[in-house]
Amino acid sequence: MAEAIMGYSPSGIFGYSHMLGGYAGGQAEYARVPHADVGLCKIPNGLTDEQVLFLSDIFPTGYMAAENCNIQPGHIVAIWGCGPVAQFAIRSAFLLGAERVIAIDRVPERLQMAKDGGAEVLNFEQVDVGEALKEMTGGRGPDAVMDAVGMESHGMGLEGLYDKAKQAVRLETDRPHALRQAIVACRKGGTVSIPGVFGGFADKIPMGAFMNKALTMKTGQTHVHRYFTPLLEHIQKGDIDPSFVITHRLPLEQAPHGYEIFKHKKDHCIKVVLKPGQSA
Ligand SMILES: NC(=O)c1ccc[n+]([C@@H]2O[C@H](COP(=O)([O-])OP(=O)(O)OC[C@H]3O[C@@H](n4cnc5c(N)ncnc54)[C@H](O)[C@@H]3O)[C@@H](O)[C@H]2O)c1
């Protein structure tokens, strides 16, 4: 299936449906793990589980996305989305030397967490994001832009209706509202980094803006192993404590409730950690 859509099968991925191998994900009741010894990372003494848990996905994802921004001293990075991945991207951008990070979302507690990480924030329901970014960057645009939203981006106005309608009649698989906005907002010669997942086909990508402004695009499924050691060192040195992103700790029996509040962004939920053996 992947070959038919993408030309080649990119890889097998846990929990990414039959298109990418049909491997059950880490949250399945049982998962078969080929070459399990290769996937392990030995954690030194003195670190808590919560400090290192996110080395398995979202911390490397945010970090690789920031690395893909080609950050240079003085750079301004704008990040669409303030979900868990974006929260790590914000902190990683600062670790990599960004001078300013501007984060965009509409969920108040997510915007607050971004602010706590040092970002300036924009609520896309309250401001015109493109205009606000121009204003905040002296009319020049951010040096790098990042789409940490992906294929289920929330669109507004006519554009939002367009994507919904095309998706409903199966003429478009992905809703790339944030990506469109990011490409248009980026400064000339800037970089577009996309950690957000896309699955198939996205319409109305502003290729004219992309080409004429000479932008560079970098993306990909995260190379998690590549980042184990350097990010573990950052945690050990105290540069970052990834447990900041945890808003809920629940026993395994309350997993359905955890999924419910995460999916519907209830109870200020940003990241749930399930603790088998812990009583309710
Ligand atoms: N590349 C990888 O290897 C990799 C790894 C993990 C996750 N991801 C992907 O990263 C993306 C983010 O993951 P997450 O867990 O943080 O997701 P999430 O759903 O918790 O966060 C997405 C955020 O985007 C916001 N949003 C929606 N539309 C927006 C818009 N138009 N403008 C600005 N913000 C908007 C939402 O309010 C939400 O807070 C997803 O696509 C996920 O699949 C990629």
Side-chain angles (χ1 to χ4, degrees), residues 79-125:
I79 302 182
W80 274 253
C82 288
V85 166
Q87 298 295 341
F88 281 105
I90 291 165
R91 283 149 180 89
S92 299
F94 283 123
L95 282 176
L96 289 163
E99 189 166 304
R100 291 168 61 200
V101 176
I102 303 169
I104 302 140
D105 205 304
R106 62 172 173 170
V107 183
E109 59 273 15
R110 292 175 178 230
L111 290 168
Q112 185 56 51
M113 191 183 267
K115 234 184 202 175
D116 296 342
E120 298 155 61
V121 297
L122 293 174
N123 183 327
F124 68 80
E125 284 187 330

mmCIF file of all heavy atoms in Angstrom, residues 79-125:
data_model
loop_
_atom_site.group_PDB
_atom_site.id
_atom_site.type_symbol
_atom_site.label_atom_id
_atom_site.label_comp_id
_atom_site.label_asym_id
_atom_site.label_seq_id
_atom_site.Cartn_x
_atom_site.Cartn_y
_atom_site.Cartn_z
ATOM 1 N N ILE A 79 6.473 28.446 15.654
ATOM 2 C CA ILE A 79 6.027 27.049 15.744
ATOM 3 C C ILE A 79 4.509 26.983 15.798
ATOM 4 O O ILE A 79 3.887 27.550 16.703
ATOM 5 C CB ILE A 79 6.628 26.371 16.998
ATOM 6 C CG1 ILE A 79 8.166 26.436 16.939
ATOM 7 C CG2 ILE A 79 6.138 24.933 17.137
ATOM 8 C CD1 ILE A 79 8.881 25.768 18.094
ATOM 9 N N TRP A 80 3.914 26.295 14.810
ATOM 10 C CA TRP A 80 2.461 26.097 14.796
ATOM 11 C C TRP A 80 2.133 24.871 15.648
ATOM 12 O O TRP A 80 2.694 23.796 15.427
ATOM 13 C CB TRP A 80 1.957 25.900 13.376
ATOM 14 C CG TRP A 80 1.662 27.177 12.659
ATOM 15 C CD1 TRP A 80 0.431 27.692 12.356
ATOM 16 C CD2 TRP A 80 2.616 28.133 12.150
ATOM 17 N NE1 TRP A 80 0.563 28.906 11.706
ATOM 18 C CE2 TRP A 80 1.886 29.194 11.573
ATOM 19 C CE3 TRP A 80 4.011 28.205 12.150
ATOM 20 C CZ2 TRP A 80 2.493 30.292 10.981
ATOM 21 C CZ3 TRP A 80 4.630 29.305 11.574
ATOM 22 C CH2 TRP A 80 3.872 30.328 10.999
ATOM 23 N N GLY A 81 1.205 25.032 16.590
ATOM 24 C CA GLY A 81 0.835 23.962 17.509
ATOM 25 C C GLY A 81 1.570 24.140 18.822
ATOM 26 O O GLY A 81 2.717 24.624 18.843
ATOM 27 N N CYS A 82 0.891 23.814 19.924
ATOM 28 C CA CYS A 82 1.545 23.819 21.249
ATOM 29 C C CYS A 82 1.230 22.508 21.962
ATOM 30 O O CYS A 82 1.059 22.468 23.179
ATOM 31 C CB CYS A 82 1.084 25.005 22.090
ATOM 32 S SG CYS A 82 1.726 26.588 21.517
ATOM 33 N N GLY A 83 1.108 21.425 21.196
ATOM 34 C CA GLY A 83 0.940 20.103 21.790
ATOM 35 C C GLY A 83 2.266 19.624 22.364
ATOM 36 O O GLY A 83 3.264 20.360 22.354
ATOM 37 N N PRO A 84 2.296 18.398 22.870
ATOM 38 C CA PRO A 84 3.520 17.872 23.487
ATOM 39 C C PRO A 84 4.747 17.963 22.578
ATOM 40 O O PRO A 84 5.837 18.325 23.044
ATOM 41 C CB PRO A 84 3.163 16.405 23.769
ATOM 42 C CG PRO A 84 1.668 16.384 23.874
ATOM 43 C CD PRO A 84 1.164 17.450 22.960
ATOM 44 N N VAL A 85 4.603 17.648 21.304
ATOM 45 C CA VAL A 85 5.754 17.712 20.393
ATOM 46 C C VAL A 85 6.274 19.151 20.302
ATOM 47 O O VAL A 85 7.476 19.410 20.408
ATOM 48 C CB VAL A 85 5.374 17.175 18.990
ATOM 49 C CG1 VAL A 85 6.423 17.547 17.950
ATOM 50 C CG2 VAL A 85 5.194 15.662 19.036
ATOM 51 N N ALA A 86 5.357 20.082 20.122
ATOM 52 C CA ALA A 86 5.756 21.487 20.007
ATOM 53 C C ALA A 86 6.409 21.976 21.303
ATOM 54 O O ALA A 86 7.364 22.767 21.258
ATOM 55 C CB ALA A 86 4.542 22.350 19.680
ATOM 56 N N GLN A 87 5.918 21.510 22.447
ATOM 57 C CA GLN A 87 6.518 21.957 23.717
ATOM 58 C C GLN A 87 8.004 21.593 23.756
ATOM 59 O O GLN A 87 8.845 22.371 24.202
ATOM 60 C CB GLN A 87 5.784 21.328 24.919
ATOM 61 C CG GLN A 87 4.312 21.709 25.031
ATOM 62 C CD GLN A 87 4.075 23.197 25.313
ATOM 63 O OE1 GLN A 87 4.977 23.920 25.773
ATOM 64 N NE2 GLN A 87 2.868 23.667 25.036
ATOM 65 N N PHE A 88 8.331 20.392 23.257
ATOM 66 C CA PHE A 88 9.746 20.003 23.210
ATOM 67 C C PHE A 88 10.487 20.744 22.100
ATOM 68 O O PHE A 88 11.680 21.033 22.234
ATOM 69 C CB PHE A 88 9.885 18.477 23.050
ATOM 70 C CG PHE A 88 9.669 17.766 24.355
ATOM 71 C CD1 PHE A 88 8.497 17.087 24.612
ATOM 72 C CD2 PHE A 88 10.633 17.829 25.345
ATOM 73 C CE1 PHE A 88 8.286 16.463 25.839
ATOM 74 C CE2 PHE A 88 10.437 17.219 26.578
ATOM 75 C CZ PHE A 88 9.261 16.530 26.820
ATOM 76 N N ALA A 89 9.788 21.044 21.026
ATOM 77 C CA ALA A 89 10.433 21.800 19.945
ATOM 78 C C ALA A 89 10.797 23.210 20.428
ATOM 79 O O ALA A 89 11.872 23.730 20.091
ATOM 80 C CB ALA A 89 9.499 21.870 18.744
ATOM 81 N N ILE A 90 9.917 23.809 21.206
ATOM 82 C CA ILE A 90 10.180 25.163 21.729
ATOM 83 C C ILE A 90 11.453 25.157 22.574
ATOM 84 O O ILE A 90 12.388 25.937 22.358
ATOM 85 C CB ILE A 90 8.986 25.645 22.599
ATOM 86 C CG1 ILE A 90 7.753 25.893 21.728
ATOM 87 C CG2 ILE A 90 9.359 26.881 23.418
ATOM 88 C CD1 ILE A 90 6.442 26.018 22.501
ATOM 89 N N ARG A 91 11.506 24.214 23.537
ATOM 90 C CA ARG A 91 12.664 24.166 24.432
ATOM 91 C C ARG A 91 13.934 23.767 23.676
ATOM 92 O O ARG A 91 15.035 24.243 23.980
ATOM 93 C CB ARG A 91 12.374 23.232 25.606
ATOM 94 C CG ARG A 91 11.439 23.930 26.630
ATOM 95 C CD ARG A 91 10.546 22.968 27.354
ATOM 96 N NE ARG A 91 9.671 23.637 28.304
ATOM 97 C CZ ARG A 91 8.455 24.126 28.017
ATOM 98 N NH1 ARG A 91 7.992 24.086 26.781
ATOM 99 N NH2 ARG A 91 7.709 24.695 28.953
ATOM 100 N N SER A 92 13.772 22.888 22.669
ATOM 101 C CA SER A 92 14.938 22.465 21.883
ATOM 102 C C SER A 92 15.459 23.626 21.043
ATOM 103 O O SER A 92 16.676 23.782 20.869
ATOM 104 C CB SER A 92 14.566 21.294 20.968
ATOM 105 O OG SER A 92 14.133 20.200 21.726
ATOM 106 N N ALA A 93 14.552 24.440 20.509
ATOM 107 C CA ALA A 93 14.987 25.591 19.698
ATOM 108 C C ALA A 93 15.855 26.510 20.548
ATOM 109 O O ALA A 93 16.892 27.005 20.085
ATOM 110 C CB ALA A 93 13.770 26.338 19.141
ATOM 111 N N PHE A 94 15.468 26.710 21.798
ATOM 112 C CA PHE A 94 16.305 27.548 22.676
ATOM 113 C C PHE A 94 17.638 26.853 22.973
ATOM 114 O O PHE A 94 18.685 27.494 22.974
ATOM 115 C CB PHE A 94 15.568 27.874 23.980
ATOM 116 C CG PHE A 94 14.523 28.960 23.815
ATOM 117 C CD1 PHE A 94 13.196 28.743 24.157
ATOM 118 C CD2 PHE A 94 14.882 30.209 23.314
ATOM 119 C CE1 PHE A 94 12.238 29.741 24.003
ATOM 120 C CE2 PHE A 94 13.929 31.225 23.156
ATOM 121 C CZ PHE A 94 12.599 30.990 23.505
ATOM 122 N N LEU A 95 17.583 25.511 23.202
ATOM 123 C CA LEU A 95 18.844 24.770 23.457
ATOM 124 C C LEU A 95 19.803 24.928 22.275
ATOM 125 O O LEU A 95 21.014 24.959 22.435
ATOM 126 C CB LEU A 95 18.561 23.276 23.657
ATOM 127 C CG LEU A 95 18.012 22.811 25.013
ATOM 128 C CD1 LEU A 95 17.710 21.303 24.977
ATOM 129 C CD2 LEU A 95 19.008 23.102 26.126
ATOM 130 N N LEU A 96 19.227 25.035 21.063
ATOM 131 C CA LEU A 96 20.056 25.126 19.851
ATOM 132 C C LEU A 96 20.399 26.570 19.485
ATOM 133 O O LEU A 96 20.955 26.832 18.424
ATOM 134 C CB LEU A 96 19.347 24.432 18.685
ATOM 135 C CG LEU A 96 19.303 22.897 18.811
ATOM 136 C CD1 LEU A 96 18.267 22.294 17.876
ATOM 137 C CD2 LEU A 96 20.682 22.306 18.512
ATOM 138 N N GLY A 97 20.012 27.513 20.345
ATOM 139 C CA GLY A 97 20.493 28.877 20.173
ATOM 140 C C GLY A 97 19.523 29.879 19.573
ATOM 141 O O GLY A 97 19.930 30.991 19.225
ATOM 142 N N ALA A 98 18.238 29.514 19.436
ATOM 143 C CA ALA A 98 17.274 30.496 18.912
ATOM 144 C C ALA A 98 17.198 31.694 19.866
ATOM 145 O O ALA A 98 17.280 31.530 21.077
ATOM 146 C CB ALA A 98 15.895 29.866 18.761
ATOM 147 N N GLU A 99 17.046 32.877 19.281
ATOM 148 C CA GLU A 99 16.926 34.055 20.150
ATOM 149 C C GLU A 99 15.480 34.217 20.635
ATOM 150 O O GLU A 99 15.239 34.530 21.789
ATOM 151 C CB GLU A 99 17.363 35.305 19.389
ATOM 152 C CG GLU A 99 17.465 36.500 20.308
ATOM 153 C CD GLU A 99 18.215 37.640 19.648
ATOM 154 O OE1 GLU A 99 19.366 37.423 19.223
ATOM 155 O OE2 GLU A 99 17.637 38.731 19.545
ATOM 156 N N ARG A 100 14.542 33.991 19.712
ATOM 157 C CA ARG A 100 13.122 34.092 20.090
ATOM 158 C C ARG A 100 12.351 32.935 19.469
ATOM 159 O O ARG A 100 12.663 32.501 18.346
ATOM 160 C CB ARG A 100 12.532 35.416 19.588
ATOM 161 C CG ARG A 100 13.072 36.633 20.291
ATOM 162 C CD ARG A 100 12.665 37.899 19.550
ATOM 163 N NE ARG A 100 11.241 38.088 19.467
ATOM 164 C CZ ARG A 100 10.631 38.887 18.570
ATOM 165 N NH1 ARG A 100 11.356 39.557 17.693
ATOM 166 N NH2 ARG A 100 9.329 39.011 18.560
ATOM 167 N N VAL A 101 11.331 32.469 20.187
ATOM 168 C CA VAL A 101 10.429 31.448 19.647
ATOM 169 C C VAL A 101 9.005 31.977 19.796
ATOM 170 O O VAL A 101 8.633 32.484 20.853
ATOM 171 C CB VAL A 101 10.563 30.099 20.396
ATOM 172 C CG1 VAL A 101 9.550 29.093 19.869
ATOM 173 C CG2 VAL A 101 11.979 29.539 20.264
ATOM 174 N N ILE A 102 8.251 31.887 18.714
ATOM 175 C CA ILE A 102 6.848 32.330 18.754
ATOM 176 C C ILE A 102 5.983 31.097 18.531
ATOM 177 O O ILE A 102 6.161 30.380 17.535
ATOM 178 C CB ILE A 102 6.575 33.388 17.663
ATOM 179 C CG1 ILE A 102 7.528 34.580 17.826
ATOM 180 C CG2 ILE A 102 5.108 33.841 17.717
ATOM 181 C CD1 ILE A 102 7.526 35.561 16.658
ATOM 182 N N ALA A 103 5.077 30.802 19.465
ATOM 183 C CA ALA A 103 4.280 29.577 19.392
ATOM 184 C C ALA A 103 2.811 29.915 19.174
ATOM 185 O O ALA A 103 2.297 30.887 19.739
ATOM 186 C CB ALA A 103 4.453 28.765 20.667
ATOM 187 N N ILE A 104 2.148 29.110 18.338
ATOM 188 C CA ILE A 104 0.791 29.417 17.899
ATOM 189 C C ILE A 104 -0.157 28.257 18.218
ATOM 190 O O ILE A 104 0.118 27.109 17.859
ATOM 191 C CB ILE A 104 0.788 29.675 16.370
ATOM 192 C CG1 ILE A 104 1.735 30.822 16.035
ATOM 193 C CG2 ILE A 104 -0.625 29.949 15.840
ATOM 194 C CD1 ILE A 104 2.544 30.618 14.768
ATOM 195 N N ASP A 105 -1.263 28.536 18.882
ATOM 196 C CA ASP A 105 -2.297 27.530 19.178
ATOM 197 C C ASP A 105 -3.537 28.306 19.605
ATOM 198 O O ASP A 105 -3.570 29.543 19.482
ATOM 199 C CB ASP A 105 -1.809 26.562 20.290
ATOM 200 C CG ASP A 105 -2.488 25.192 20.234
ATOM 201 O OD1 ASP A 105 -3.736 25.144 20.269
ATOM 202 O OD2 ASP A 105 -1.777 24.177 20.149
ATOM 203 N N ARG A 106 -4.552 27.600 20.103
ATOM 204 C CA ARG A 106 -5.725 28.307 20.617
ATOM 205 C C ARG A 106 -6.136 27.791 21.993
ATOM 206 O O ARG A 106 -7.101 28.256 22.578
ATOM 207 C CB ARG A 106 -6.907 28.164 19.655
ATOM 208 C CG ARG A 106 -7.348 26.720 19.483
ATOM 209 C CD ARG A 106 -8.619 26.625 18.685
ATOM 210 N NE ARG A 106 -8.903 25.233 18.414
ATOM 211 C CZ ARG A 106 -10.036 24.797 17.902
ATOM 212 N NH1 ARG A 106 -10.987 25.648 17.600
ATOM 213 N NH2 ARG A 106 -10.226 23.512 17.683
ATOM 214 N N VAL A 107 -5.405 26.776 22.487
ATOM 215 C CA VAL A 107 -5.788 26.169 23.770
ATOM 216 C C VAL A 107 -5.003 26.866 24.890
ATOM 217 O O VAL A 107 -3.766 26.791 24.915
ATOM 218 C CB VAL A 107 -5.473 24.650 23.762
ATOM 219 C CG1 VAL A 107 -5.932 24.004 25.051
ATOM 220 C CG2 VAL A 107 -6.109 23.988 22.537
ATOM 221 N N PRO A 108 -5.724 27.570 25.798
ATOM 222 C CA PRO A 108 -5.043 28.441 26.766
ATOM 223 C C PRO A 108 -3.938 27.756 27.572
ATOM 224 O O PRO A 108 -2.839 28.302 27.704
ATOM 225 C CB PRO A 108 -6.178 28.906 27.688
ATOM 226 C CG PRO A 108 -7.421 28.763 26.867
ATOM 227 C CD PRO A 108 -7.181 27.622 25.921
ATOM 228 N N GLU A 109 -4.201 26.537 28.090
ATOM 229 C CA GLU A 109 -3.167 25.913 28.951
ATOM 230 C C GLU A 109 -1.942 25.499 28.138
ATOM 231 O O GLU A 109 -0.826 25.449 28.645
ATOM 232 C CB GLU A 109 -3.730 24.732 29.744
ATOM 233 C CG GLU A 109 -4.313 23.599 28.939
ATOM 234 C CD GLU A 109 -5.789 23.791 28.573
ATOM 235 O OE1 GLU A 109 -6.296 24.920 28.693
ATOM 236 O OE2 GLU A 109 -6.438 22.800 28.171
ATOM 237 N N ARG A 110 -2.146 25.200 26.851
ATOM 238 C CA ARG A 110 -1.002 24.857 25.998
ATOM 239 C C ARG A 110 -0.177 26.108 25.697
ATOM 240 O O ARG A 110 1.045 26.079 25.690
ATOM 241 C CB ARG A 110 -1.492 24.183 24.710
ATOM 242 C CG ARG A 110 -2.072 22.816 25.010
ATOM 243 C CD ARG A 110 -2.693 22.130 23.811
ATOM 244 N NE ARG A 110 -3.155 20.810 24.231
ATOM 245 C CZ ARG A 110 -2.884 19.660 23.608
ATOM 246 N NH1 ARG A 110 -2.226 19.664 22.494
ATOM 247 N NH2 ARG A 110 -3.317 18.517 24.088
ATOM 248 N N LEU A 111 -0.891 27.216 25.444
ATOM 249 C CA LEU A 111 -0.187 28.476 25.222
ATOM 250 C C LEU A 111 0.588 28.868 26.479
ATOM 251 O O LEU A 111 1.719 29.351 26.397
ATOM 252 C CB LEU A 111 -1.186 29.571 24.829
ATOM 253 C CG LEU A 111 -1.814 29.403 23.434
ATOM 254 C CD1 LEU A 111 -2.991 30.352 23.243
ATOM 255 C CD2 LEU A 111 -0.777 29.634 22.327
ATOM 256 N N GLN A 112 -0.018 28.623 27.639
ATOM 257 C CA GLN A 112 0.652 28.965 28.901
ATOM 258 C C GLN A 112 1.927 28.142 29.083
ATOM 259 O O GLN A 112 2.971 28.666 29.474
ATOM 260 C CB GLN A 112 -0.309 28.739 30.084
ATOM 261 C CG GLN A 112 0.252 29.176 31.432
ATOM 262 C CD GLN A 112 0.694 30.652 31.455
ATOM 263 O OE1 GLN A 112 -0.071 31.541 31.069
ATOM 264 N NE2 GLN A 112 1.945 30.918 31.869
ATOM 265 N N MET A 113 1.837 26.843 28.769
ATOM 266 C CA MET A 113 3.035 25.988 28.913
ATOM 267 C C MET A 113 4.142 26.444 27.953
ATOM 268 O O MET A 113 5.323 26.417 28.288
ATOM 269 C CB MET A 113 2.675 24.517 28.660
ATOM 270 C CG MET A 113 3.760 23.544 29.048
ATOM 271 S SD MET A 113 3.352 21.824 28.672
ATOM 272 C CE MET A 113 2.638 21.271 30.193
ATOM 273 N N ALA A 114 3.734 26.885 26.764
ATOM 274 C CA ALA A 114 4.713 27.405 25.792
ATOM 275 C C ALA A 114 5.384 28.664 26.352
ATOM 276 O O ALA A 114 6.598 28.845 26.246
ATOM 277 C CB ALA A 114 4.023 27.709 24.468
ATOM 278 N N LYS A 115 4.574 29.511 26.977
ATOM 279 C CA LYS A 115 5.091 30.740 27.586
ATOM 280 C C LYS A 115 6.069 30.403 28.710
ATOM 281 O O LYS A 115 7.124 31.016 28.834
ATOM 282 C CB LYS A 115 3.903 31.504 28.188
ATOM 283 C CG LYS A 115 3.770 32.930 27.741
ATOM 284 C CD LYS A 115 2.628 33.548 28.492
ATOM 285 C CE LYS A 115 2.093 34.732 27.783
ATOM 286 N NZ LYS A 115 0.907 35.293 28.439
ATOM 287 N N ASP A 116 5.698 29.391 29.512
ATOM 288 C CA ASP A 116 6.580 28.973 30.609
ATOM 289 C C ASP A 116 7.927 28.499 30.060
ATOM 290 O O ASP A 116 8.941 28.569 30.753
ATOM 291 C CB ASP A 116 5.946 27.824 31.422
ATOM 292 C CG ASP A 116 4.660 28.259 32.120
ATOM 293 O OD1 ASP A 116 4.440 29.484 32.258
ATOM 294 O OD2 ASP A 116 3.866 27.374 32.515
ATOM 295 N N GLY A 117 7.920 28.008 28.822
ATOM 296 C CA GLY A 117 9.167 27.554 28.191
ATOM 297 C C GLY A 117 9.918 28.683 27.510
ATOM 298 O O GLY A 117 10.900 28.446 26.805
ATOM 299 N N GLY A 118 9.419 29.901 27.637
ATOM 300 C CA GLY A 118 10.142 31.058 27.107
ATOM 301 C C GLY A 118 9.614 31.588 25.784
ATOM 302 O O GLY A 118 10.147 32.553 25.237
ATOM 303 N N ALA A 119 8.545 30.953 25.239
ATOM 304 C CA ALA A 119 8.030 31.405 23.936
ATOM 305 C C ALA A 119 7.106 32.614 24.093
ATOM 306 O O ALA A 119 6.481 32.805 25.133
ATOM 307 C CB ALA A 119 7.271 30.259 23.260
ATOM 308 N N GLU A 120 7.044 33.399 23.026
ATOM 309 C CA GLU A 120 5.980 34.393 22.907
ATOM 310 C C GLU A 120 4.833 33.642 22.241
ATOM 311 O O GLU A 120 5.086 32.745 21.433
ATOM 312 C CB GLU A 120 6.445 35.550 22.020
ATOM 313 C CG GLU A 120 7.641 36.283 22.596
ATOM 314 C CD GLU A 120 8.465 36.989 21.515
ATOM 315 O OE1 GLU A 120 7.932 37.870 20.820
ATOM 316 O OE2 GLU A 120 9.650 36.623 21.376
ATOM 317 N N VAL A 121 3.591 33.974 22.551
ATOM 318 C CA VAL A 121 2.513 33.133 22.029
ATOM 319 C C VAL A 121 1.462 33.934 21.255
ATOM 320 O O VAL A 121 1.245 35.116 21.504
ATOM 321 C CB VAL A 121 1.819 32.332 23.163
ATOM 322 C CG1 VAL A 121 2.803 31.373 23.821
ATOM 323 C CG2 VAL A 121 1.173 33.230 24.192
ATOM 324 N N LEU A 122 0.812 33.233 20.299
ATOM 325 C CA LEU A 122 -0.284 33.816 19.524
ATOM 326 C C LEU A 122 -1.461 32.853 19.554
ATOM 327 O O LEU A 122 -1.281 31.657 19.315
ATOM 328 C CB LEU A 122 0.134 34.017 18.062
ATOM 329 C CG LEU A 122 1.223 35.053 17.767
ATOM 330 C CD1 LEU A 122 1.596 34.986 16.273
ATOM 331 C CD2 LEU A 122 0.758 36.452 18.129
ATOM 332 N N ASN A 123 -2.654 33.370 19.830
ATOM 333 C CA ASN A 123 -3.867 32.552 19.764
ATOM 334 C C ASN A 123 -4.474 32.754 18.379
ATOM 335 O O ASN A 123 -4.908 33.860 18.037
ATOM 336 C CB ASN A 123 -4.850 32.993 20.852
ATOM 337 C CG ASN A 123 -6.089 32.118 20.867
ATOM 338 O OD1 ASN A 123 -6.547 31.636 19.834
ATOM 339 N ND2 ASN A 123 -6.634 31.909 22.043
ATOM 340 N N PHE A 124 -4.480 31.685 17.552
ATOM 341 C CA PHE A 124 -4.886 31.865 16.147
ATOM 342 C C PHE A 124 -6.374 32.180 15.985
ATOM 343 O O PHE A 124 -6.803 32.542 14.903
ATOM 344 C CB PHE A 124 -4.457 30.679 15.273
ATOM 345 C CG PHE A 124 -5.146 29.356 15.531
ATOM 346 C CD1 PHE A 124 -6.413 29.086 15.026
ATOM 347 C CD2 PHE A 124 -4.506 28.375 16.266
ATOM 348 C CE1 PHE A 124 -7.026 27.861 15.258
ATOM 349 C CE2 PHE A 124 -5.112 27.147 16.492
ATOM 350 C CZ PHE A 124 -6.377 26.890 15.996
ATOM 351 N N GLU A 125 -7.134 32.056 17.077
ATOM 352 C CA GLU A 125 -8.546 32.465 16.994
ATOM 353 C C GLU A 125 -8.724 33.949 17.319
ATOM 354 O O GLU A 125 -9.761 34.519 17.054
ATOM 355 C CB GLU A 125 -9.393 31.628 17.954
ATOM 356 C CG GLU A 125 -9.636 30.230 17.405
ATOM 357 C CD GLU A 125 -10.614 29.441 18.243
ATOM 358 O OE1 GLU A 125 -10.685 29.659 19.471
ATOM 359 O OE2 GLU A 125 -11.312 28.600 17.677
#
